[in-house]
Amino acid sequence: MSRSERLPGPGLAKVQRPPLLQRRHIELVTCSTGRLHALFESADVLSEGSTRDEGGALVYYGSTSLHVALPSDAPLAALLDRALALDPHLRLRALRVAHREAAARAGGPLGPMQAEIRCGFAPRAAAVSFALTVDVTARVLITTDRTARA
């Protein structure tokens, strides 16, 4: 096989023995659960969405936005933005709020939910807030009279 006929990419390499020890530095950040709960209790929640008939089943499509006002003792914006975007407790709380809002608008219990979460700072007139937007797609399991009219 000529050199021009070979596949692109790295060639063969001799296997070497892995090192005995490896060091890895990671940074773990989480929010205080009590304070996070209090912030979510006072969050502004805005939801929109509706159901559509797809192949004989009702499917809910919607979006929920949460605007969480940050306390005055919040750390620097860059650190807080990264911490909040990666904190699994915050993401789970946002999913729960979005699921509750979606179920109320869909008119019945929802099946497995697909969600996409976007987050970041949202400057407001009175204070700086953190915005979470959850886009939701879920199948409605049981329909009621209310959903049949929607």
Side-chain angles (χ1 to χ4, degrees):
M1 186 180 257
S2 71
R3 196 170 210 169
S4 62
E5 294 174 355
R6 291 185 191 160
L7 296 175
L12 294 176
K14 190 173 186 179
V15 176
Q16 297 185 7
R17 188 182 315 178
L20 182 60
L21 299 174
Q22 290 182 346
R23 178 178 283 187
R24 181 173 69 160
H25 295 280
I26 59 172
E27 180 180 7
L28 300 175
V29 179
T30 188
C31 299
S32 170
T33 304
R35 289 190 69 188
L36 183 66
H37 180 72
L39 289 173
F40 266 85
E41 287 298 316
S42 63
D44 292 331
V45 179
L46 175 65
S47 293
E48 60 182 1
S50 63
T51 56
R52 295 183 196 159
D53 186 19
E54 292 185 2
L58 280 180
V59 179
Y60 174 82
Y61 292 95
S63 178
T64 298
S65 295
L66 295 97
H67 290 273
V68 180
L70 296 174
S72 59
D73 66 339
L76 297 174
L79 174 64
L80 187 64
D81 187 30
R82 181 163 170 76
L84 292 177
L86 298 176
D87 188 332
H89 302 284
L90 179 111
R91 297 173 74 79
L92 180 61
R93 189 167 295 276
L95 282 173
R96 286 179 177 160
V97 170
H99 183 270
R100 182 185 67 224
E101 293 286 319
R105 279 164 180 65
L110 301 175
M113 181 174 83
Q114 295 177 354
E116 180 182 328
I117 301 175
R118 293 183 309 279
C119 51
F121 283 105
R124 299 175 76 183
V128 175
S129 66
F130 190 76
L132 290 138
T133 302
V134 184
D135 295 327
V136 175
T137 304
R139 186 169 176 230
V140 181
L141 297 178
I142 301 171
T143 60
T144 62
D145 291 337
R146 192 176 125 217
T147 56
R149 285 182 262 139

